[in-house]
Amino acid sequence: MVSLQVSPPSLSLRNPNFNSAHCFSPMKTPSYVAPNFNHIQFTYPFNSPNFLRFNIIYPISHFGRGRFNCKAIKDSGEEPKATLDFEGGGGGGGGGGDGGDDDQVENKSSTSTLLPEWLSFSKDDVATVFAAIAVSLAFRTFIAEPRYIPSLSMYPTFNIGDRLVAEKVTYYFRKPCAKDIVIFKSPPVLQEVGYTDDDVFIKRVVAKEGDIVEVHEGKLVVNGVVRNEKYILEPPSYDMAPIRVPENSVFVMGDNRNNSYDSHVWGPLPAKNILGRSLFRYWPPTRIGSTVLEDGCAIDKQDVSPAS
């Protein structure tokens, strides 16, 4: 208990008739001045010869949460006087010992609040973060990854800014088919002119290994059969001599045939350079949908129309 008392020199007894009004009504000592509790120790004069001083037994700076209790003491033959008691939140124990403990608690709490709560990590948190990163990298490497379209070479199928998901599982079980839209890193012939493995392209497969492909009078001809390509922007304005696609390679072209840097310029693409197959466009929202044609690999099993 920490006490602040107006203490006369003589022994005091509690006033049995005291009530709470004594705590809130002014004292009758004419020269009494209300104490200021912002100081550690202070003395205010009273005209009464018996009054000595206010003495704060416990430092104000160490007050924690608590409350003040008002009691009364009385000298013989005099009116009741107010006694102000302070009960701290910690409770119990002597003033000096409690003060030391409070210092230690304050120091510990200030140290523990140097960092925000959300920056406190446990071993389990760190393990979870690393596991999430590992799963994410594995997913992108072996299953699927998002891609961004930077050019118009595949227009109107893809526009600049479109975003798609390229899946990588299909080609673990089969080879690329005609009409597949593939994502691939630059082949050796392009790296010789300045491209790197970090440069990624997107084109449509038009012929697979062993096929003979040519462009004649604005039409794509594969194995002597004209391909019906409703997805291209316009017929090609160039001719291309027949080329046999080598083993473990494919022939790729952009849907924007007259504005595409593709196999008709630099030749067949090694299949090992293929990173994945375009599966789904997720941006923009107005064009969300699959990028896989319904007939898929069926084009490799049947002719569309004979070449004339």
Side-chain angles (χ1 to χ4, degrees), residues 13 19 28 33 69 98 115 134 139 148 161 169 194 210 249 258 308:
L13 301 174
N19 57 50
K28 294 185 179 180
V33 179
N69 292 332
D98 287 347
L115 294 175
F139 187 87
Y148 169 83
V169 178
S249 298
N258 295 315
S308 55

Side-chain angles (χ1 to χ4, degrees), residues 6 26-35 37 44-47 51 54 82:
V6 182
M27 298 178 67
K28 294 185 179 180
T29 305
S31 58
Y32 172 75
V33 179
F37 290 100
Y44 289 95
F46 280 75
N47 288 338
F51 176 75
F54 279 110

